[in-house]
Amino acid sequence: MPSSCPICEIADKVRAKRERRKDARPGELLAAALELFVEKGFAATRAEEVAKRAGVSKGTLFLYFASKEELFKAVVRENISGRFTEWNAEFESFQGSTADLLRYSVRAWWERIGSTKASGITKLMMSEASNFPELASFYQHEVIQPGHDLLRRVLQRGVDQGEFEPMDLKYGVYIVLAPMLFLAMWKHSLGTCSAAGMEIDPDHYITVQVDTILLGLTKRPATGAAPLNAKAP
Amino acid sequence: MPSSCPICEIADKVRAKRERRKDARPGELLAAALELFVEKGFAATRAEEVAKRAGVSKGTLFLYFASKEELFKAVVRENISGRFTEWNAEFESFQGSTADLLRYSVRAWWERIGSTKASGITKLMMSEASNFPELASFYQHEVIQPGHDLLRRVLQRGVDQGEFEPMDLKYGVYIVLAPMLFLAMWKHSLGTCSAAGMEIDPDHYITVQVDTILLGLTKRPATGAAPLNAKAP
Amino acid sequence: MPSSCPICEIADKVRAKRERRKDARPGELLAAALELFVEKGFAATRAEEVAKRAGVSKGTLFLYFASKEELFKAVVRENISGRFTEWNAEFESFQGSTADLLRYSVRAWWERIGSTKASGITKLMMSEASNFPELASFYQHEVIQPGHDLLRRVLQRGVDQGEFEPMDLKYGVYIVLAPMLFLAMWKHSLGTCSAAGMEIDPDHYITVQVDTILLGLTKRPATGAAPLNAKAP
Amino acid sequence: MPSSCPICEIADKVRAKRERRKDARPGELLAAALELFVEKGFAATRAEEVAKRAGVSKGTLFLYFASKEELFKAVVRENISGRFTEWNAEFESFQGSTADLLRYSVRAWWERIGSTKASGITKLMMSEASNFPELASFYQHEVIQPGHDLLRRVLQRGVDQGEFEPMDLKYGVYIVLAPMLFLAMWKHSLGTCSAAGMEIDPDHYITVQVDTILLGLTKRPATGAAPLNAKAP
DNA sequence: CATGAATGAGCTTTCATTCAT
DNA sequence: GATGAATGAAAGCTCATTCAT
């Protein structure tokens, strides 16, 4: 039977909150750190501010993370999780032309990563990779490699189905990747202080890029010539 | 006949060095600054270290550059901005198809910027722009704007001469820019610790990108359809 | 019965000291700052030295005061500005002739400001005002203006009650102010190294000045002449 | 016979100027230093600026003065010269009432010292005396002592001629001195950044002060009472 | 566990002073 | 003598990290 005493209820809530908090602390700190690292970069983010945004004291931060660097590592580890299996499945079961699949893939990336805070991680890794080789390597295996594989399969599907010209797939993935990652970088760096008239509208940017790319990739009437993208012997 | 007195030789060297110094100082400082900014980023580079690498004292640095920010601006002017007039002239007088001009432009960028330490600046600005708004604004005006203008003129030439499809030029420049800037970023960040088999060969990367882009831009037999890149009304 | 264990005693003291600290810090810092500012002036006082004299580290100083200038302002507020409301009340409720009020005011100033370290602030402001315009402006609003107002009311009272001749009050306040501020200046500058026989006895100095001033201000039998201090038309 | 060659004439002039300069150097440096010390104070005056204003290089300054402190001392020594004998003579031969003599003296001081750059020295000494005890002592003997003596004789004349009440002359001189020196200080410190409506008009200030002082000093009908300014026994 | 006062190394910038020319 | 490029000791302020409570 629930207590009807309002004060007790409040006290219960407070206690509950506190108990929940204890476990949640590292998570709250990581969330706050993600936000701030994305907003201001690693060096410019002050430990105290992370603590404040997580609602704890400076000391507590260092209770859970030995140093700001360790916090940074934890943030990246926490946030580069396994979207890939989900996407793999989606793409695997996609019905329709590969051109449409590519359009869909890019839009999906923008909606789920590019336009969210998660894209800040990309920017962050690009910015700080050289200072954290260990993290960079980690990111390489956990994010970049799977991402490339995914995209390569999309392109392979196009080639296999005769929709795309044969191509050097290793470099082909960059045809799609580069414009997208550039957009993410831009959004978090120079895009924030762009001159008037230079702002990028992401939707239009993506449309233009993908349309052009598709024109470049699409199978052309046979000419007997070697594929354009083949690496010179 | 050379004097064989070792002391005199040393004295001569010292004098010669000293005489050469005054004029060489700014250049030596700029070279040291470029190296360090590229290696460690703007914020993490200490003025004293720049001075030390240039072989002078902390004070001397500030004799030539009023502040660390001014030093950075000078580095940018020396290594990037200064190049635009030269390029403008080159492109202006280019004889040949616009496809060739575009190929030439991209190669020229790679040889003179992309493959040199100067491309570190691009990476650096992307990484730290949001923490140094004044620098970002400077870079915007001094590098990005002129760069866009230059590239826009190249594309415009293609459209005007009937080589390229009509396009939304503002977004068209990103079709060329994004892959190139991504390459520069990559080289200075995750590229430095890439897994085996993932290294990018810049020459091939550029070839693939440009060829694909050109296929996407090139004028197709008239279909009466609206231009692909036109922004939806 | 007191513990005779020496270690315990020390531990107790340390704890006591620590507990007392937090609240006492700003006060200790302000006291140290007052001393050093008065000893060496504003510019020549190093923040670190203030901290050291207060028994804390450099960082701690900036934990309580955002900058050296803010520290100075706090010193002024603590030692001077804060006094005006008290004085206002005293003067407002003063019973007796305005001559006595003036005598009382001047003595009060000497006892509470002039003879204390606080008068060093006056000297300091006079010495360094031109190098720190913001401080000068602060002092102007926080000290000079209220001081003038206070004194003007005293003189006005004398005029209103028919004890003093009508006068140009703006300049009248300087009749009282100038000798007092000169005394403060003197004490902290040349007075510290005065030749034998030239030392000023403040009490006598004040007596002589006030008596003379009062003779000069006191209402004289009507002569029909214009008031002496009226500005010439 | 003068050379009629115009070029030679110019060359001669240049040489003459240079030769004259060589001797004049220290003087030019002292003049520049006086100006700058008065304008900005000792600490805030940069050696380079003194040199520039004197038209020489930084190195030359240190050729003539071993340090900035020595320069300061030299400036004071150069500028506190022997106005006193001249004034002594003037006052000695003054025809008229002592009240008029006092008025004349004060006006003379204002015209020749107070309103000129020389008053900057007064301010400077008051400001920096405690940091340069040796200079302070020097100033004490060369300026203050003679000044007091001069003024004391004026007051003595008034007492002797029955124009002024008998008084304690040692403190009497401050009745005149304090308002004047305060004016000089004010002019060079807080007066430069005074709030609107608080500016002092020196002429009016002097008139008010002197008139009031004279009322306080002037012989009153005998009352049998002890002189007001006599030190209490 | 959590706190937050305290620390001190580190950073940019200034400027009196030196010294090779 | 005269120069001015070069020096390097400070100074104000920041912030990651510690630790007594």
Side-chain angles (χ1 to χ4, degrees):
Chain A
M1 198 184 87
S3 148
S4 58
C5 155
I7 288 181
C8 300
E9 276 176 22
I10 288 173
D12 283 355
K13 270 186 195 167
V14 167
R15 197 172 329 113
K17 195 177 175 187
R18 179 160 304 172
E19 269 157 22
R20 183 179 47 70
R21 269 252 206 98
K22 205 166 77 177
D23 297 337
R25 283 284 149 74
E28 285 166 5
L29 281 163
L30 286 170
L34 170 60
E35 277 181 23
L36 283 163
F37 283 151
V38 168
E39 274 172 36
K40 331 178 106 173
F42 176 73
T45 294
R46 287 180 314 153
E48 184 157 26
E49 208 175 345
V50 173
K52 197 205 291 177
R53 192 173 291 199
V56 301
S57 77
K58 215 181 342 181
T60 305
L61 170 63
F62 287 94
L63 209 61
Y64 289 100
F65 304 95
S67 70
K68 204 174 127 182
E69 289 207 2
E70 286 303 322
L71 174 64
F72 179 75
K73 290 183 188 177
V75 164
V76 175
R77 283 198 198 90
E78 174 86 358
N79 285 281
I80 44 77
S81 58
R83 287 288 221 313
F84 289 107
T85 48
E86 170 199 358
W87 281 357
N88 230 354
E90 271 185 65
F91 295 179
E92 218 60 70
S93 63
F94 188 85
Q95 305 289 333
S97 72
T98 307
D100 282 346
L101 173 54
L102 194 63
R103 279 197 189 88
Y104 175 78
S105 309
V106 166
R107 292 277 166 210
W109 170 85
W110 174 249
E111 276 157 27
R112 304 179 201 176
I113 302 278
S115 67
T116 74
K117 261 184 307 207
S119 64
I121 304 257
T122 306
K123 190 259 179 179
L124 215 134
M125 281 307 311
M126 286 269 195
S127 297
E128 319 267 0
S130 48
N131 299 122
F132 299 96
E134 186 206 321
L135 269 187
S137 160
F138 176 79
Y139 192 77
Q140 167 74 29
H141 288 97
E142 296 285 316
V143 180
I144 298 176
Q145 196 64 258
H148 280 223
D149 291 348
L150 194 58
L151 195 47
R152 190 183 300 109
R153 273 196 295 280
V154 171
L155 297 179
Q156 185 71 59
R157 179 185 192 265
V159 173
D160 289 349
Q161 301 190 0
E163 298 172 72
F164 293 168
E165 283 283 331
M167 69 180 91
D168 179 344
L169 283 172
K170 178 180 159 195
Y171 287 81
V173 298
Y174 287 114
I175 293 174
V176 182
L177 227 41
M180 293 304 111
L181 296 183
F182 174 81
L183 178 58
M185 292 288 312
W186 186 264
K187 199 186 102 172
H188 289 285
S189 59
L190 288 156
T192 63
C193 44
S194 237
M198 294 221 44
E199 307 86 358
I200 294 182
D201 168 44
D203 278 325
H204 189 53
Y205 175 94
I206 290 172
T207 303
V208 169
Q209 293 282 354
V210 174
D211 284 347
T212 309
I213 287 166
L214 282 172
L215 281 172
L217 296 178
T218 301
K219 183 90 174 179
R220 286 167 295 283
T223 61
L228 264 172
N229 296 351
K231 199 162 187 173
Chain B
M1 199 183 88
S3 149
S4 57
C5 157
I7 290 180
C8 301
E9 277 176 21
I10 289 171
D12 282 357
K13 271 186 194 164
V14 166
R15 194 168 333 111
K17 195 176 175 187
R18 186 165 291 259
E19 269 157 21
R20 184 178 47 71
R21 270 203 201 164
K22 195 178 102 178
D23 296 338
R25 279 280 178 279
E28 286 165 3
L29 283 163
L30 286 171
L34 173 60
E35 277 181 24
L36 282 163
F37 283 150
V38 168
E39 274 173 37
K40 328 180 107 177
F42 177 74
T45 295
R46 287 177 301 140
E48 186 156 22
E49 208 176 344
V50 173
K52 198 202 291 176
R53 190 170 292 199
V56 299
S57 78
K58 209 178 355 178
T60 304
L61 170 63
F62 289 96
L63 213 58
Y64 291 97
F65 304 96
S67 70
K68 203 174 131 180
E69 293 215 350
E70 286 304 319
L71 174 62
F72 181 79
K73 289 183 185 177
V75 166
V76 172
R77 282 198 200 92
E78 173 90 356
N79 290 282
I80 310 191
S81 337
R83 299 271 170 75
F84 284 110
T85 49
E86 173 198 356
W87 281 356
N88 227 357
E90 272 186 63
F91 294 0
E92 216 64 67
S93 64
F94 187 87
Q95 306 287 336
S97 73
T98 305
D100 283 346
L101 172 54
L102 194 63
R103 279 194 188 90
Y104 174 77
S105 307
V106 167
R107 292 278 165 210
W109 171 84
W110 174 250
E111 276 157 28
R112 303 178 202 175
I113 303 279
S115 68
T116 74
K117 267 179 292 206
S119 62
I121 303 268
T122 305
K123 189 259 181 180
L124 193 158
M125 281 307 313
M126 287 269 194
S127 297
E128 312 199 44
S130 49
N131 296 121
F132 301 93
E134 201 207 313
L135 286 186
S137 163
F138 165 82
Y139 193 76
Q140 166 75 29
H141 288 96
E142 207 82 0
V143 178
I144 299 177
Q145 196 66 256
H148 279 222
D149 290 348
L150 197 58
L151 195 46
R152 190 182 300 112
R153 273 196 295 278
V154 170
L155 298 179
Q156 183 73 59
R157 180 186 191 265
V159 174
D160 288 348
Q161 302 191 356
E163 300 172 70
F164 293 167
E165 284 282 331
M167 69 180 89
D168 180 343
L169 283 171
K170 179 181 159 192
Y171 287 81
V173 298
Y174 287 115
I175 293 173
V176 181
L177 228 41
M180 293 304 112
L181 296 183
F182 174 80
L183 177 58
M185 293 285 315
W186 187 262
K187 199 185 105 172
H188 289 283
S189 59
L190 290 156
T192 63
C193 46
S194 241
M198 293 221 46
E199 306 88 354
I200 294 181
D201 169 45
D203 276 325
H204 190 52
Y205 175 95
I206 290 172
T207 303
V208 169
Q209 293 283 353
V210 175
D211 285 346
T212 310
I213 287 166
L214 282 172
L215 283 171
L217 297 179
T218 300
K219 183 90 174 179
R220 287 166 295 282
T223 62
L228 264 171
N229 297 350
K231 200 161 186 171
Chain C
M1 201 184 87
S3 151
S4 58
C5 156
I7 289 180
C8 302
E9 276 175 24
I10 288 172
D12 282 357
K13 270 185 195 166
V14 167
R15 194 171 331 111
K17 194 175 174 187
R18 187 167 290 260
E19 268 157 20
R20 184 178 47 72
R21 270 201 203 164
K22 192 179 104 178
D23 296 338
R25 279 279 178 281
E28 286 165 3
L29 283 163
L30 286 172
L34 173 60
E35 276 180 23
L36 281 163
F37 284 150
V38 169
E39 273 172 37
K40 329 179 106 179
F42 177 75
T45 295
R46 286 177 304 139
E48 187 157 21
E49 207 175 346
V50 173
K52 198 201 292 175
R53 190 171 293 197
V56 300
S57 77
K58 207 176 1 176
T60 305
L61 170 62
F62 290 97
L63 214 57
Y64 291 97
F65 303 96
S67 69
K68 204 173 127 182
E69 292 216 352
E70 285 305 320
L71 174 62
F72 180 80
K73 289 184 186 177
V75 166
V76 171
R77 282 197 201 92
E78 173 91 354
N79 291 282
I80 310 192
S81 336
R83 299 272 169 75
F84 284 111
T85 48
E86 172 198 357
W87 282 356
N88 228 357
E90 272 184 63
F91 295 179
E92 217 62 69
S93 64
F94 187 86
Q95 306 287 336
S97 72
T98 306
D100 282 347
L101 172 54
L102 195 64
R103 279 196 189 89
Y104 174 78
S105 309
V106 167
R107 293 276 165 210
W109 172 85
W110 175 249
E111 275 157 27
R112 303 178 203 175
I113 302 278
S115 68
T116 74
K117 267 179 293 209
S119 62
I121 303 270
T122 306
K123 189 261 180 176
L124 193 158
M125 281 308 312
M126 287 269 195
S127 298
E128 312 199 45
S130 47
N131 297 121
F132 301 93
E134 200 207 314
L135 285 186
S137 163
F138 166 81
Y139 193 77
Q140 166 75 29
H141 287 96
E142 205 84 359
V143 178
I144 297 177
Q145 195 67 256
H148 278 220
D149 290 349
L150 196 58
L151 194 46
R152 191 183 298 111
R153 273 197 293 279
V154 171
L155 298 179
Q156 184 73 59
R157 180 187 192 265
V159 174
D160 289 348
Q161 301 190 356
E163 300 172 71
F164 293 167
E165 283 282 331
M167 70 180 90
D168 180 344
L169 283 172
K170 179 180 159 194
Y171 287 80
V173 298
Y174 287 114
I175 293 172
V176 182
L177 227 43
M180 294 303 109
L181 295 184
F182 174 82
L183 178 59
M185 293 285 314
W186 186 263
K187 200 185 104 172
H188 288 283
S189 59
L190 290 156
T192 62
C193 45
S194 241
M198 293 220 44
E199 305 87 356
I200 294 182
D201 169 46
D203 276 327
H204 190 52
Y205 175 96
I206 290 172
T207 304
V208 169
Q209 292 283 354
V210 174
D211 284 347
T212 309
I213 287 165
L214 282 173
L215 282 172
L217 297 179
T218 301
K219 183 88 172 181
R220 286 168 295 282
T223 61
L228 265 172
N229 297 350
K231 200 162 187 172
Chain D
M1 201 183 87
S3 147
S4 57
C5 154
I7 289 181
C8 300
E9 275 175 23
I10 289 172
D12 283 355
K13 270 187 194 164
V14 166
R15 197 174 325 115
K17 197 178 174 186
R18 181 161 298 172
E19 269 156 20
R20 183 177 48 69
R21 269 252 206 98
K22 204 166 82 179
D23 298 338
R25 284 282 150 73
E28 285 164 5
L29 282 162
L30 286 171
L34 170 62
E35 278 181 23
L36 283 163
F37 283 151
V38 167
E39 274 172 37
K40 329 179 107 172
F42 177 73
T45 294
R46 287 180 313 152
E48 185 157 24
E49 209 175 344
V50 173
K52 197 204 290 174
R53 193 172 290 199
V56 300
S57 78
K58 216 181 342 180
T60 306
L61 170 63
F62 287 95
L63 207 62
Y64 288 102
F65 304 96
S67 71
K68 204 172 127 181
E69 288 206 3
E70 285 304 322
L71 173 64
F72 178 75
K73 289 185 189 176
V75 164
V76 175
R77 282 199 198 92
E78 174 86 356
N79 285 281
I80 43 77
S81 57
R83 286 290 221 310
F84 289 108
T85 48
E86 172 198 356
W87 281 357
N88 227 358
E90 270 186 65
F91 294 179
E92 219 59 72
S93 64
F94 188 85
Q95 305 290 332
S97 72
T98 306
D100 283 347
L101 172 55
L102 195 64
R103 279 195 188 90
Y104 175 78
S105 309
V106 166
R107 293 275 166 210
W109 170 84
W110 175 249
E111 277 156 25
R112 302 177 203 177
I113 304 279
S115 67
T116 75
K117 261 184 307 207
S119 63
I121 304 257
T122 305
K123 191 262 181 175
L124 213 135
M125 282 307 312
M126 286 269 197
S127 297
E128 320 264 1
S130 47
N131 299 121
F132 299 97
E134 187 206 322
L135 270 187
S137 161
F138 175 78
Y139 193 76
Q140 167 73 28
H141 288 96
E142 297 284 317
V143 180
I144 299 176
Q145 196 63 258
H148 278 222
D149 290 348
L150 194 59
L151 195 46
R152 191 183 299 110
R153 273 196 294 281
V154 171
L155 298 179
Q156 185 71 60
R157 182 187 191 264
V159 174
D160 289 349
Q161 300 191 359
E163 298 172 73
F164 293 168
E165 284 282 332
M167 70 181 88
D168 179 343
L169 283 172
K170 179 182 161 193
Y171 287 80
V173 299
Y174 286 115
I175 293 173
V176 182
L177 227 43
M180 293 305 110
L181 295 183
F182 174 82
L183 178 59
M185 293 288 313
W186 186 263
K187 199 186 102 171
H188 289 284
S189 60
L190 288 155
T192 63
C193 46
S194 239
M198 295 221 44
E199 307 87 356
I200 294 183
D201 169 43
D203 277 325
H204 190 51
Y205 175 94
I206 291 173
T207 304
V208 169
Q209 292 282 354
V210 174
D211 284 347
T212 310
I213 287 166
L214 282 173
L215 281 171
L217 297 179
T218 302
K219 182 86 174 181
R220 287 166 295 282
T223 62
L228 262 172
N229 296 351
K231 198 161 188 173

